[in-house]
Amino acid sequence: MFLASTEFAQKTDEAFWWITGIMMFFLVGITFTMIYFVWKYGRKKHPKASQIHGNTKLEITWIVIPTLIVLFMFWKGYEGFALMRRVPPGAMEIEVEARQWAWSFHYPKADITTTELYVPAGVPVKLLLTTPIDDVIHSFYLPEFRVKEDCVPGMVNHLWFQGDEKHIEGSPYPIFCAEYCGTDHSRMYTSVHFLSKEDFAAWMEKEVAQRYRPIEIDAAMDPSSPDIVESGAADLYATYCVSCHGKGGEGGMVEGARSFQSLADWKRGPSIPDMFVTLTEGLEGTQMRSFANLSAWDRFALAWHVAGLYEGTDRPNGERADFERVIKQYELDVQQDIPRPLDIEGTIEEMVEPADG
Ligand code: CUA
């Protein structure tokens, strides 16, 4: 990771080393000059101070030279900055949401959400970075490309990068949160995977199909079924639930957020199908919003994860009839409509064309 593998990284490192070099030169130069002056003009040799008045040549020199040096350092920094701010037209857009303490990535065209970033190599990628309004400032940092941008509540910032062949080989690369954001700041990391265009299209198609496949009741009722396990409910919980309900489901991180460690006073019932309904519709009059943007499988998986936070064995997770009722109510047993047309190849063509060189 130390060696610069991209143009961004080269520019950033160049600016860094130029500035460091110039500073080292002056640090050493000034320190030795001072020591020399102490020796040469010390009290022993010059018991009486002599006064000097004005020296135009010297004054011009020490104004002009530092000005040139500062301008040079600015230019070195600006080169990389300009490259980073100029997003090539037609870059592929991905929405990034940072929250305490997880990342999620939303691909608007395919309408899928992931907790790790997958991007095609050879295509510029533009990230639209944000944080929910009730969260804190985070910072998206991809060290391999030396790109970093703050995620600020209520704002959409952006950055872009582009990987190539060698990044497919080197994948995945780490992504960090570079802004101290609370207890688990240090664990707020994820990865970016670079795929060939074909693999990316295949990956996306699989994700989409996966997201909308019909619910099978036996799998939905079984927390150890692969469908439930592979939904990555722990990540979803970390992304969507922790900030209000707490890591262990103890609740109360915001006012009114219930504890999942108790069976008392559920507004809707605590069973899996009941939680599914709550996740789908939210709870009116509370801060619990709808998570219908998650796939039905993800909502079941999330409900099972929440159920798992209760430590007793007397939890009513729902009877088969309850699952049947909900599946029927939301017509979950048929392939669900994919909300937006999915033109993956078109998208990639579009993404590739305008990028220059
Ligand atoms: Cu998010 Cu540090």
Side-chain angles (χ1 to χ4, degrees):
M1 203 194 295
F2 184 73
L3 286 177
S5 77
T6 64
E7 205 182 346
F8 282 172
Q10 279 163 20
K11 292 271 184 236
T12 310
D13 293 2
E14 248 177 67
F16 175 84
W17 287 114
W18 270 110
I19 292 169
T20 307
I22 291 170
M23 289 193 311
M24 282 312 290
F25 174 79
F26 281 103
L27 176 72
V28 172
I30 291 170
T31 306
F32 280 101
T33 309
M34 265 163 44
I35 293 168
Y36 173 69
F37 277 18
V38 166
W39 171 79
K40 186 163 185 210
Y41 301 107
R43 202 157 174 199
K44 262 190 213 152
K45 292 193 176 167
H46 300 268
K48 206 161 168 276
S50 62
Q51 303 298 332
I52 299 165
H53 295 278
N55 185 326
T56 313
K57 256 194 217 156
L58 260 181
E59 283 171 26
I60 289 174
T61 312
W62 75 52
I63 289 170
V64 171
I65 291 179
T67 304
L68 289 177
I69 291 172
V70 170
L71 284 175
F72 174 75
M73 292 197 292
F74 172 80
W75 174 247
K76 277 285 152 200
Y78 181 76
E79 273 184 331
F81 176 78
L83 180 69
M84 286 181 191
R85 294 327 290 172
R86 244 176 260 135
V87 184
M92 174 187 179
E93 290 193 351
I94 300 172
E95 296 157 7
V96 181
E97 188 180 74
R99 43 165 77 220
Q100 286 175 319
W101 289 277
W103 297 99
S104 65
F105 304 97
H106 181 237
Y107 298 75
K109 286 223 164 120
D111 192 27
I112 51 172
T113 304
T114 61
T115 53
E116 294 195 2
L117 182 57
Y118 289 82
V119 295
V123 172
V125 174
K126 180 184 184 185
L127 300 182
L128 300 166
L129 303 148
T130 191
T131 302
I133 198 78
D134 56 352
D135 210 276
V136 301
I137 299 177
H138 304 271
S139 189
F140 178 97
Y141 181 33
L142 175 54
E144 179 68 17
F145 290 72
R146 313 285 196 271
V147 288
K148 179 162 86 66
E149 190 68 44
D150 281 1
C151 307
V152 182
M155 264 177 83
V156 181
N157 288 341
H158 73 270
L159 64 73
W160 78 278
F161 60 91
Q162 178 175 345
D164 55 33
E165 290 295 309
K166 67 177 169 294
H167 295 108
I168 300 176
E169 194 87 344
S171 280
Y173 295 93
I175 291 168
F176 296 107
C177 176
E179 178 71 47
Y180 181 66
C181 57
T183 321
D184 278 351
H185 159 70
S186 63
R187 297 208 305 201
M188 190 171 163
Y189 52 78
T190 182
S191 316
V192 55
H193 304 255
F194 291 90
L195 304 174
S196 69
K197 282 175 201 125
E198 300 74 44
D199 287 351
F200 179 75
W203 169 81
M204 190 165 258
E205 221 158 329
K206 200 177 122 236
E207 286 290 313
V208 172
Q210 210 42 14
R211 187 188 144 111
Y212 295 99
R213 74 201 185 284
I215 295 286
E216 291 147 28
I217 186 160
D218 291 318
M221 285 183 66
D222 176 7
S224 60
S225 69
D227 286 312
I228 296 296
V229 174
E230 281 160 23
S231 280
D235 286 338
L236 293 173
Y237 186 85
T239 304
Y240 298 112
C241 318
V242 164
S243 54
C244 297
H245 295 282
K247 241 193 292 181
E250 61 277 11
M253 310 296 281
V254 299
E255 215 192 314
R258 74 155 299 115
S259 162
F260 297 136
Q261 293 166 358
S262 140
L263 291 178
D265 303 325
W266 282 66
K267 288 211 169 55
R268 205 172 267 127
S271 74
I272 303 296
D274 283 335
M275 279 194 275
F276 182 90
V277 175
T278 299
L279 282 167
T280 307
E281 303 193 354
L283 275 176
E284 215 170 303
T286 75
Q287 287 196 56
M288 176 65 194
R289 67 166 170 98
S290 157
F291 288 90
N293 59 318
L294 297 179
S295 74
W297 280 108
D298 285 350
R299 277 171 277 157
F300 272 116
L302 204 43
W304 275 114
H305 182 83
V306 167
L309 298 171
Y310 179 71
E311 276 158 17
T313 50
D314 55 337
R315 202 178 190 293
N317 286 330
E319 301 300 325
R320 195 176 181 91
D322 302 321
F323 281 85
E324 269 166 2
R325 177 172 47 78
V326 166
I327 289 174
K328 207 167 154 235
Q329 182 183 344
Y330 295 103
E331 296 178 350
L332 302 173
D333 52 351
V334 293
Q335 178 71 29
Q336 291 153 65
D337 292 341
I338 295 171
R340 270 170 256 202
L342 196 63
D343 176 17
I344 292 166
E345 261 158 41
T347 309
I348 290 178
E349 288 307 306
E350 210 176 287
M351 292 181 299
V352 182
E353 289 284 303
D356 42 64

